[in-house]
Amino acid sequence: MNSTWFRRFTPAAADGPRLICFPHAGGSATAYAPLERALPGDLDVVSVQYPGRQDRYRDAPYTALPALVEAVAGELARELAVRPGRPYAFFGHSMGALVAFETARLLARRELPGPQHLFLSGRAAPNARSSTRLQSYDDADVVAEVRKLGGTDQAMLANPELLEMVLPGLRADYRALSTYVWRAGEPLSAPVTALIGDSDPMVTVPEAQTWQEHTTGEFALKVFSGGHFYIGDHLGRVAGAITEGLLADAVAS
């Protein structure tokens, strides 16, 4: 896969189904390294590296979600042409859930093979109440919101040099989320698993249930103890939910 856009944290690609992971706002591909290590070794886990962070620091980040989705879908379309028929799935957390969902919708509109399963975490469906509260892009407001959610190393937020490196991506992602407009369309046919922390300040458990409206396939809701970034406390159980979903897909096919 294109090494600019995708990262793998294992020495070599596995032969099993591919799981493509989409980071949260301000996040990078390395956010999924712990989950990759918790998943079975026969899964080929790759994570999207958005522009404007880590080794892509000098690449201008996208400030509009449709443009980001278009870019990711284009890269995946090239990969699908190289490996036609290989099963794959999406996992997205928070903003990543929305990017994953819209990417799957775009691939479907282009009549390209879509993901066999979507695992959508820490976010309500896009037609539900918006979980992005910020309407200004003042750096102090963005940093305060990130502190409240607790997903970024707090020491990094207190370090001016490190903060200056992550702020461009954060600014861009929050602008993309705040300007996103939901447009109705055909539901997906792939199964969807929604995952949520029971004390998430951004989205409630009933709001996470709204993803069921966006698929004609099977739906499951997995609730974990914790807040918005519950995944770090439940790596084994989250990995188990992903594995369970993929095994069910294999049996169904």
Side-chain angles (χ1 to χ4, degrees), residues 44-243:
D44 182 22
V45 184
V46 295
S47 300
V48 180
Q49 186 75 304
Y50 303 141
R53 53 219 79 199
Q54 293 188 329
D55 57 341
R56 299 195 68 187
Y57 176 72
R58 296 186 183 279
D59 295 342
Y62 287 90
T63 57
L65 196 126
L68 175 60
V69 168
E70 181 80 29
V72 175
E75 294 298 330
L76 289 175
R78 281 186 277 275
E79 178 65 17
L80 291 171
V82 174
R83 295 288 302 272
R86 182 176 185 178
Y88 71 97
F90 286 168
F91 183 100
H93 179 70
S94 197
M95 184 185 86
L98 185 57
V99 179
F101 173 70
E102 289 290 5
T103 300
R105 293 178 83 203
L106 182 55
L107 292 172
R109 290 196 296 271
R110 293 179 176 176
E111 300 184 347
L112 292 169
Q116 68 179 57
H117 202 121
L118 283 84
F119 300 91
L120 304 175
S121 168
R123 189 172 181 88
N127 60 319
R129 176 182 65 86
S130 172
S131 58
T132 303
R133 297 183 294 275
L134 286 185
Q135 296 302 317
S136 78
Y137 311 108
D138 179 85
D139 288 352
D141 291 339
V142 171
V143 171
E145 181 77 356
V146 173
R147 286 187 188 279
K148 184 188 303 181
L149 295 176
T152 302
D153 187 341
Q154 301 300 302
M156 181 179 69
L157 295 177
N159 184 312
E161 292 183 0
L162 293 177
L163 183 59
E164 186 61 30
M165 293 183 67
V166 301
L167 269 175
L170 278 170
R171 291 188 201 108
D173 290 350
Y174 273 94
R175 183 176 291 275
L177 287 170
S178 295
T179 57
Y180 168 79
V181 177
W182 159 246
R183 290 182 171 82
E186 291 296 317
L188 298 172
S189 59
V192 171
T193 298
L195 305 94
I196 184 70
D198 60 6
S199 57
D200 191 327
M202 288 186 66
V203 56
T204 66
V205 172
E207 287 170 344
Q209 182 81 36
T210 59
W211 284 111
Q212 186 170 13
E213 304 168 19
H214 297 279
T215 180
T216 59
E218 296 294 319
F219 176 80
L221 176 65
K222 305 290 185 181
V223 182
F224 302 84
S225 62
H228 190 60
F229 288 97
Y230 69 90
I231 297 175
D233 296 325
H234 301 285
L235 280 173
R237 290 183 59 204
V238 173
I242 294 170
T243 305

